[in-house]
């Protein structure tokens, strides 16, 4: 029989759902559910994206041959060239630029969309060329929470296995709508906890979402003012002595300073700033702190703010003082959006971190890795994602090698990004589709899509899994790792890139990152369920973190008391509304792949603008009217949806269609996360 | 034994995985999710009625019940007269424009033959859709209500018991 079922890990969000692709002589025909492995987190279930995840593979727009720019940059005119020519040209240009301007003139962008192995070789290539200018879009998604949790707890990752959420008593969901962004996680764990096990659900979100529908308490702050709510919750918990005294005595430093700091941040004060009634904040704080076991889940609605790191320092304090860490039945940690976000971050596709999230300034660790790699690693942190774009604009970075990212659309103030891209001396885009960024490329390389290559992936549960090759790539497209290795060899770095399979690369990762030593190719191939890292050897996995202590040098949590700071841009007379954005269940990121998935495009075809009923009445806007939404950076037109499911004063739009040129480029001062989740706007009906 | 798809609309999150799964596996979505402004959503497909009006009115006996109690259409017999569509109280049978015959949910007959669950049920992340024998599903639900009543009564919260079905 020509048809066979190939086990893969879903290619969209970071839940890590498994499924089969039905492969018909190399052609991806459809999907089949995996009910054969009871240990997998999705238990066979899939959301609409998972079910449709094979559909874009054979889209006519797929890149099939390497391309070379023929017209002006941004014009999108290309001619086909051979792989040999493409690789040769890239190597020559990179070499030239490095020799002329030094390695700091090179920059690389990796992605959550490719395997652990491909990301590993990408950052290794950057470092072998002598630069730490290597970043990935996580800088725009999770960096605030990663940074805050790393500092306070010593490790930012999800603390407990998914199953633990069904044992918890209170779930606090902050700026996250799992019913739409991680439906399988929501349906199999969160909803079960709430409906079947009676856990209390508290949701913090300016929109009434499918998640908030299940909430006992729903707090609706203005976007970016939720830091005030968090500080006030700390105030209530400390004032009423609802914290876990024994836990604090034993495992926490800095409680006194925190208590002193939040004294001034009363619920009444927070109500004035956030618009959330003081009693509701109080009720939420008491419900959460007295539950005995609690879970905190947060995502982009909380991370993508100029005060995001401060918020996550406050939220980390919240779970620590309640004692909701280091035991069964609790949960907290970073929840990234895209499927291999954990993997790309663990592989050190970061300007200041090496594989294993080792700082480039940690002399001892860097030396250890240098010994394995055989070359010198630069010690100075490179530029962050946004600084790379700025540096291109200023002529400091000359060459940009982009794998699977779409900054021309996804980055904040994207109009500026496009201008900057025009000024680069040399741009390579390696992707599955000719996205907006590819229009600015000198060379475009056709990459195999996720189901067309074998590779390893890490879900937000810290589960390391193997996905297999389930379809042939179209045309001459090749696996990402292979392309990068070919470029490295053409650059004369072959001795450091001596791999002939993903297994070879993973074995090197096993050596380079001690907490991944046990995630060997053999183990992952034999165990479809994968294993949860840290896994220092082949027999171990670590389902719960911090059972005996935090991962800080002294094993204690080090609270960082913070003050309130407003978001980067707040409404005024000219721009009186708060603008925010959200994710639709059936679209993904900038839509490069989901817009090309037939069943998704049919059901989630276009953007719309959510506006509260009473705001709409004042402005004479009805559902279906064309409205113009304008910020200081630009404007767009879309249809209005007049609804009670958004709080007064806030306008919300799905962000998959061009949106980010509306947002400001205000950055979080700790990690340079841009304020993507709010901007001041005005809205008017389009006449005629 | 008669098996059916049961819909627990309280669990539904309007994700439309059921629709997309049906479309991906059967070529056309035969289940539809209806959404309301208050965020209620109901996924709706053929009820495979015990006394199916579509079956009763079909002039050429193109519709019949299979061993699991599913109402299935024989495309070779169907003449596209639309009588079933008129008779169905839920508006389920649709005209397949290309072939000018009817098309309806067959409870994924092909999948059931292979021992697989219907596609929409397989996908549904919240288990708002359940496939099974009516007695088993209802007994399970009843058992849960009783258990909830008991535990709530113990905690002195009798009046809230019905809220957790
Ligand atoms: S929940 Fe995420 S991983 Fe699971 S099927 Fe949906 S998109 Fe894929
Ligand atoms: S049972 Fe099969 S055919 Fe019927 S609605 Fe569900 S998926 Fe579609
Ligand atoms: S798959 Fe389930 S939760 Fe999603 S819309 Fe269908 S019935 Fe509702």
């Amino acid at each position: 029989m020509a048809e066979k079922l190939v086990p893969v890990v879903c290619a969209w969000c970071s839940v890590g759902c498994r499924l089969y692709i039905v492969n018909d002589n190399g052609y991806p025909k459809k999907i089949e559910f995996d009910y054969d492995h009871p240990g997998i987190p999705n238990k066979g279930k899939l959301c609409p994206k998972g079910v449709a995840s094979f559909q874009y593979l054979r889209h006519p727009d797929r890149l099939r041959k390497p391309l070379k720019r023929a017209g002006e940059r941004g014009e999108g005119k290309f001619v086909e060239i051979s792989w040999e020519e493409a690789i040769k040209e890239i190597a020559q240009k990179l070499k030239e630029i490095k020799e002329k301007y030094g390695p700091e003139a090179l920059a690389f962008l990796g992605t959550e969309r490719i395997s652990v192995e491909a990301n590993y070789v990408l950052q290794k290539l950057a470092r072998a060329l002598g630069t730490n200018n290597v970043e990935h879009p996580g800088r725009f998604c999770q960096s605030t929470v990663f940074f805050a949790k790393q500092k306070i707890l010593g490790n930012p990752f999800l603390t407990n296995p998914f199953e633990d959420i069904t044992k918890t008593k209170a779930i606090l969901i902050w700026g996250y709508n799992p019913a739409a962004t991680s439906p399988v996680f929501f349906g199999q764990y969160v909803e079960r906890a709430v409906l079947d096990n009676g856990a209390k659900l508290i949701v913090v979100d300016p929109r009434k979402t499918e998640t908030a529908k299940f909430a006992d308490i729903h707090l609706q702050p203005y976007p970016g003012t939720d830091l005030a709510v968090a500080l006030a919750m700390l105030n209530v918990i400390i004032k009423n002595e609802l914290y876990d005294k024994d836990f604090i005595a034993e495992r926490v430093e800095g409680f006194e300073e925190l208590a002193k700091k939040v004294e001034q941040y009363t619920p009444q004060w927070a109500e004035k700033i956030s618009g959330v009634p003081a009693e509701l904040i109080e009720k939420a704080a008491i419900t959460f702190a007295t539950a005995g076991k609690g879970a905190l889940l947060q995502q982009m609605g909380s991370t993508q703010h100029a005060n995001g790191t401060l918020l996550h320092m406050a939220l980390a304090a919240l779970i620590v003082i309640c004692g909701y860490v280091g035991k069964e039945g609790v949960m907290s940690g970073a929840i990234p959006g895209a499927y291999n976000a954990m993997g790309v971050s663990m592989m050190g596709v970061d300007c200041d971190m090496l594989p294993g999230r080792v700082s480039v300034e940690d002399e001892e660790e860097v030396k250890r890795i240098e010994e394995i790699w055989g070359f010198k690693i630069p010690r100075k942190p490179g530029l962050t994602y946004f600084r790379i774009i700025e540096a291109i604009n200023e002529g400091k970075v000359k060459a940009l090698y982009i794998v699977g990212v779409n900054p021309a659309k996804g980055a904040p103030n994207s109009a500026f990004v496009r201008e900057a891209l025009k000024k680069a001396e040399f741009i390579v885009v390696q992707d599955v589709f000719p996205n907006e960024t590819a229009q600015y490329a000198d060379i475009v390389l056709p990459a195999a899509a996720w189901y067309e290559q074998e590779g390893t992936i890490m879900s937000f549960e810290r589960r390391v899994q193997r996905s297999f090759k389930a379809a042939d790539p179209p045309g001459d497209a090749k696996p990402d790792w292979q392309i990068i290795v070919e470029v490295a060899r053409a650059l004369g770095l072959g001795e450091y890139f001596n791999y002939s399979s993903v297994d070879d690369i993973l074995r090197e990762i096993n050596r380079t990152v001690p907490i991944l030593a046990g995630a060997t190719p053999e183990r992952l191939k034999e165990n479809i369920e994968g294993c949860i890292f840290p896994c220092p050897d082949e027999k171990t996995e670590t389902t719960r973190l911090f059972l005996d202590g935090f991962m800080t040098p002294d094993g204690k949590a080090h609270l960082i008391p913070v003050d309130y700071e407003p978001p980067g841009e707040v409404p005024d007379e000219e721009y009186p509304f708060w603008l925010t954005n959200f994710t639709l269940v059936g679209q993904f990121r900038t839509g490069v792949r989901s817009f090309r998935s037939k069943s998704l495009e049919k059901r989630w075809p276009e953007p719309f603008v959510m506006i509260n009923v009473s705001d709409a009445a004042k402005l004479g806007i009805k559902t279906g009217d064309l409205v113009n939404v304008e910020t200081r950076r630009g404007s767009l037109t879309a249809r209005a949806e007049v609804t009670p499911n958004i709080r007064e004063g806030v306008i919300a739009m799905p962000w998959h269609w061009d949106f980010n040129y509306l947002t400001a480029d205000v950055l979080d001062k700790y990690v340079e996360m841009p304020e993507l989740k709010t901007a001041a706007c005005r809205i008017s009906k389009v006449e005629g | 034994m008669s098996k059916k798809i049961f819909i627990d609309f309280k669990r539904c999150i309007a994700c439309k995985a059921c629709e997309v799964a049906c479309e991906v596996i059967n070529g056309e979505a035969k289940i539809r999710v209806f959404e309301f402004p208050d965020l209620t959503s109901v996924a709706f497909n053929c009820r495979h009625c015990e006394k199916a009006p579509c079956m009763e009115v079909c002039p050429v006996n193109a519709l019949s019940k299979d061993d699991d109690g599913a109402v299935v259409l024989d495309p070779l017999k169907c003449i596209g007269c639309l009588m079933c569509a008129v008779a169905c109280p839920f508006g389920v049978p649709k005209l397949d424009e290309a072939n000018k015959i009817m098309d309806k949910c067959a409870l994924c007959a092909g999948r059931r033959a292979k021992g697989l669950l219907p596609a929409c049920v397989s996908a549904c992340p919240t288990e708002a859709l359940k496939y099974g024998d009516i007695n088993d599903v209802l007994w399970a639900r009843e058992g849960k209500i009783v258990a909830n009543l008991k535990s709530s009564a113990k905690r002195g919260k009798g009046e809230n018991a019905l809220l957790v079905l």
Side-chain angles (χ1 to χ4, degrees):
Chain A
M1 219 176 60
E3 262 189 25
K4 59 177 183 193
L5 296 183
V6 184
V8 296
V9 179
C10 176
W12 305 105
C13 88
S14 61
V15 177
C17 299
R18 290 206 78 100
L19 65 146
Y20 295 111
I21 297 294
V22 181
N23 171 315
D24 187 355
N25 280 317
Y27 187 86
K29 201 168 162 194
K30 56 181 181 187
I31 61 107
E32 189 48 78
F33 304 89
D34 183 349
Y35 279 91
D36 306 327
H37 300 96
I40 59 175
N42 58 316
K43 303 173 190 160
K45 301 293 181 185
L46 294 174
C47 83
K49 290 195 291 292
V51 177
S53 59
F54 70 100
Q55 286 182 330
Y56 65 85
L57 295 179
R58 293 302 169 109
H59 193 280
D61 289 356
R62 277 292 297 272
L63 290 167
R64 283 151 211 268
K65 295 243 187 287
L67 304 173
K68 187 179 165 142
R69 180 161 60 84
E72 285 301 307
R73 193 162 272 167
E75 219 177 35
K77 279 202 192 131
F78 295 95
V79 289
E80 285 180 5
I81 52 172
S82 70
W83 269 111
E84 293 70 41
E85 276 176 84
I87 300 283
K88 205 171 127 206
E89 171 119 5
I90 294 170
Q92 235 167 27
K93 270 305 224 179
L94 294 182
K95 224 186 245 166
E96 239 175 68
I97 290 172
K98 183 183 160 175
E99 269 155 28
K100 202 159 153 204
Y101 308 100
E104 300 303 326
L106 309 174
F108 295 78
L109 294 177
T111 173
E112 302 99 327
R113 173 183 85 46
I114 60 174
S115 65
V116 158
E117 291 86 352
N119 274 304
Y120 177 84
V121 289
L122 182 72
Q123 60 78 35
K124 189 173 169 185
L125 174 61
R127 271 121 195 181
L129 284 166
T131 179
N132 280 322
N133 289 340
V134 55
E135 281 269 297
H136 71 93
R139 179 70 60 187
F140 293 168
C141 299
Q142 302 303 328
S143 53
T144 48
V145 55
F146 264 70
F147 180 82
K149 290 236 161 81
Q150 178 91 34
K151 273 244 171 274
I152 295 171
L153 311 174
N155 185 311
F157 299 142
L158 196 74
T159 54
N160 290 57
F162 289 166
E163 208 53 58
D164 269 16
I165 207 162
T166 59
K167 299 172 190 156
T168 202
K169 294 282 178 261
I171 305 172
L172 175 55
I173 300 187
W174 205 290
Y176 178 27
N177 179 17
T181 48
S182 333
V184 172
F185 170 65
F186 183 80
Q188 290 299 303
Y189 301 96
V190 180
E191 200 189 279
R192 200 162 279 196
V194 174
L195 290 185
D196 301 342
N197 301 340
K200 291 267 184 269
L201 179 64
I202 306 162
V203 171
V204 183
D205 195 320
R207 287 197 314 137
K208 181 154 189 233
T209 59
E210 294 290 345
T211 302
K213 188 178 97 173
F214 294 86
D216 295 281
I217 303 171
H218 180 199
L219 312 179
Q220 295 183 275
Y222 294 118
T225 65
D226 42 343
L227 173 57
V229 177
L231 293 171
M233 283 177 74
L234 286 168
N235 171 294
V236 173
I237 293 168
I238 294 174
K239 201 178 92 200
N240 296 299
E241 295 188 22
L242 303 175
Y243 44 83
D244 185 334
K245 295 183 189 80
D246 298 339
F247 189 84
I248 292 174
E250 212 177 299
R251 297 181 56 172
V252 181
E253 292 285 329
F255 178 74
E256 292 309 321
E257 293 85 332
L258 176 80
K260 218 166 158 337
K261 181 69 99 187
V262 298
E263 235 168 60
Q264 52 180 316
Y265 297 123
T266 61
Q268 289 71 25
W269 162 84
E271 173 172 341
K272 276 190 218 118
I273 289 176
S274 67
V276 183
E279 320 80 79
L280 223 49
I281 298 177
E282 197 153 4
K283 193 169 158 206
I286 295 171
T287 305
F288 189 64
T290 56
K293 281 179 184 174
L296 168 69
L297 306 169
Q298 79 284 298
Q299 217 194 30
M300 261 84 103
S302 70
T303 56
Q304 290 179 329
H305 286 291
N307 58 13
T309 301
L310 298 175
L311 171 67
H312 286 288
M313 285 172 169
L315 290 178
L318 187 68
I319 50 148
V320 165
I321 67 167
C322 291
Y324 296 162
V325 221
K327 59 183 177 192
E328 200 182 323
V330 300
M331 180 182 288
S332 64
I335 301 176
Y339 64 93
N340 199 21
M342 205 55 98
V344 59
S345 157
M346 276 296 286
M347 287 309 106
V349 185
D350 269 299
C351 66
D352 51 358
M353 263 182 248
L354 295 170
R357 296 184 58 77
V358 162
S359 162
V360 292
E361 291 166 308
D362 182 337
E363 195 50 40
E364 215 172 291
E365 281 291 298
V366 177
K367 272 208 184 118
R368 186 183 60 80
I369 297 175
E370 278 177 342
E371 246 158 60
I372 300 172
W373 287 359
F375 57 81
K376 278 246 154 258
I377 299 168
R379 302 295 200 270
K380 200 176 118 232
L383 300 168
T384 62
Y385 193 152
F386 204 75
R387 298 281 175 229
I388 289 177
I389 308 280
E390 277 181 349
I392 295 174
N393 192 46
E394 290 158 12
K396 287 182 193 144
V397 165
K398 302 279 183 190
L400 186 57
Y401 192 123
I402 307 173
V403 182
V405 199
N406 192 8
K409 192 172 172 193
N413 197 354
S414 41
F416 167 75
V417 177
R418 288 174 207 194
E419 282 311 307
L421 290 178
K422 275 193 198 155
K423 296 188 191 155
E425 208 168 300
F426 186 63
I427 296 179
V428 181
V429 168
Q430 174 174 322
D431 214 318
V432 295
F433 286 111
N435 60 23
E436 286 77 2
T437 309
Q439 308 306 314
Y440 298 86
D442 294 272
I443 303 279
V444 181
L445 301 175
W450 177 235
Y451 296 157
E452 295 160 356
Q453 47 186 314
E454 190 170 344
T456 306
I457 169 174
M458 293 176 187
S459 77
F460 84 78
E461 197 183 21
R462 288 180 280 117
R463 192 180 288 272
V464 192
Q465 300 183 75
R466 182 52 74 99
S467 186
F468 297 88
K469 182 181 167 193
D472 292 334
D476 292 346
K478 287 188 199 189
D480 290 287
W481 70 268
Q482 220 167 308
I483 302 174
I484 298 161
V485 167
E486 279 176 33
V487 170
R489 286 185 185 146
L491 278 159
L493 301 166
E495 57 175 313
Y496 311 127
F497 290 84
N498 191 15
Y499 316 108
S500 48
S501 67
V502 280
D503 290 359
D504 289 349
I505 305 173
L506 185 56
R507 279 189 201 100
E508 185 177 308
I509 295 170
N510 296 150
R511 284 193 289 134
T512 313
V513 184
I515 58 169
L516 291 174
T520 60
E522 293 70 26
R523 182 183 191 177
L524 298 181
K525 283 186 210 177
E526 264 164 42
N527 303 291
I528 283 292
E529 285 98 354
C531 60
I532 293 184
F533 79 84
C535 45
D537 63 62
E538 271 194 288
K539 299 211 168 43
T540 338
E541 60 175 356
T542 313
T543 50
R544 297 191 182 93
L545 294 181
F546 313 136
L547 288 180
D548 309 313
F550 292 99
M551 286 162 161
T552 49
D554 63 358
K556 290 193 171 185
H558 290 259
L559 301 183
I560 305 175
V562 298
D563 274 312
Y564 181 72
E565 271 177 33
E569 191 180 69
V570 296
D572 51 27
E573 252 169 45
E574 224 181 320
Y575 295 90
F577 286 95
W578 302 80
L579 177 65
T580 191
N581 64 58
F582 59 93
T583 295
L584 293 172
V585 63
Q587 292 293 359
F588 191 76
R589 297 281 170 103
T590 57
V592 172
R593 292 169 292 150
S594 55
F595 290 173
R596 292 176 171 106
S597 302
K598 209 171 75 222
S599 301
L600 303 178
E601 184 53 8
K602 191 160 124 191
R603 290 177 176 78
W604 294 274
E606 57 188 11
F608 54 93
V609 181
M610 290 176 81
I611 174 165
N612 179 275
V613 190
S614 68
D615 290 334
K618 276 179 227 153
L619 296 166
I621 294 169
K622 293 188 303 301
T623 292
D625 284 351
L626 270 184
V627 291
N628 193 42
V629 177
E630 196 184 341
T631 70
R632 286 193 173 82
R633 272 80 41 201
S635 69
L636 58 75
T637 305
R639 299 224 173 259
E641 187 187 298
V642 176
T643 167
N645 296 332
I646 176 101
R647 71 152 304 151
E648 261 181 83
V650 184
I651 304 293
M653 297 182 67
W655 72 281
H656 313 286
W657 293 269
D658 231 354
F659 177 92
N660 283 351
Y661 67 91
L662 297 177
T663 55
D665 44 14
V666 197
L667 301 179
D668 176 277
K669 62 182 176 229
Y670 298 90
V671 293
E672 306 198 336
M673 163 76 84
E675 178 119 296
L676 286 162
K677 272 289 172 183
T678 186
C681 80
R682 59 183 174 218
I683 177 168
S684 57
K685 192 166 153 173
V686 177
E687 299 301 334
Chain B
M1 219 195 293
S2 170
K3 286 190 163 186
K4 291 208 181 336
I5 293 177
F6 293 87
I7 302 173
D8 183 349
F9 71 88
K10 191 162 75 313
R11 299 194 93 93
C12 178
I13 52 170
C15 72
K16 301 191 184 174
C18 49
E19 273 188 33
V20 178
C22 185
E23 186 164 296
V24 161
I25 305 284
N26 299 311
E28 191 80 50
K30 292 161 184 142
I31 184 164
R32 252 192 83 193
V33 182
F34 295 90
E35 295 176 78
F36 302 94
D38 69 347
L39 294 179
T40 309
S41 48
V42 184
F44 204 82
N45 71 332
C46 171
R47 304 312 309 137
H48 300 279
C49 311
E50 287 303 320
K51 282 181 66 175
C54 57
M55 243 172 92
E56 288 183 4
V57 298
C58 178
V60 293
N61 290 330
L63 291 154
S64 61
K65 281 212 159 193
D66 72 11
D67 292 346
D68 287 331
V71 176
V72 295
L73 175 100
D74 182 346
L76 294 177
K77 286 190 186 161
C78 178
I79 53 170
C81 71
L82 290 164
M83 278 306 286
C84 51
V86 175
C88 174
F90 307 109
V92 166
K94 298 268 172 345
L95 186 69
D96 164 357
E97 290 287 348
N99 299 309
K100 299 288 177 218
I101 55 167
M102 303 309 287
D103 189 17
K104 73 176 285 297
C105 162
L107 218 55
C108 283
R111 297 179 63 80
R112 282 185 287 124
K114 285 193 250 168
L116 299 171
L117 283 171
C120 54
V121 177
S122 300
C124 178
T126 63
E127 287 167 49
L129 302 178
K130 277 202 175 63
Y131 176 68
D133 178 70
I134 179 155
N135 291 316
D136 296 344
V137 173
L138 292 186
W139 272 111
R141 196 180 270 194
E142 202 173 39
K144 219 159 151 192
I145 294 171
V146 173
N148 270 319
L149 278 168
K150 277 189 184 159
S151 82
S152 302
K154 247 192 235 155
R155 284 181 277 133
K157 291 184 190 164
E159 76 279 11
N160 286 333
L162 283 172
L163 293 177
V164 197
L165 283 192

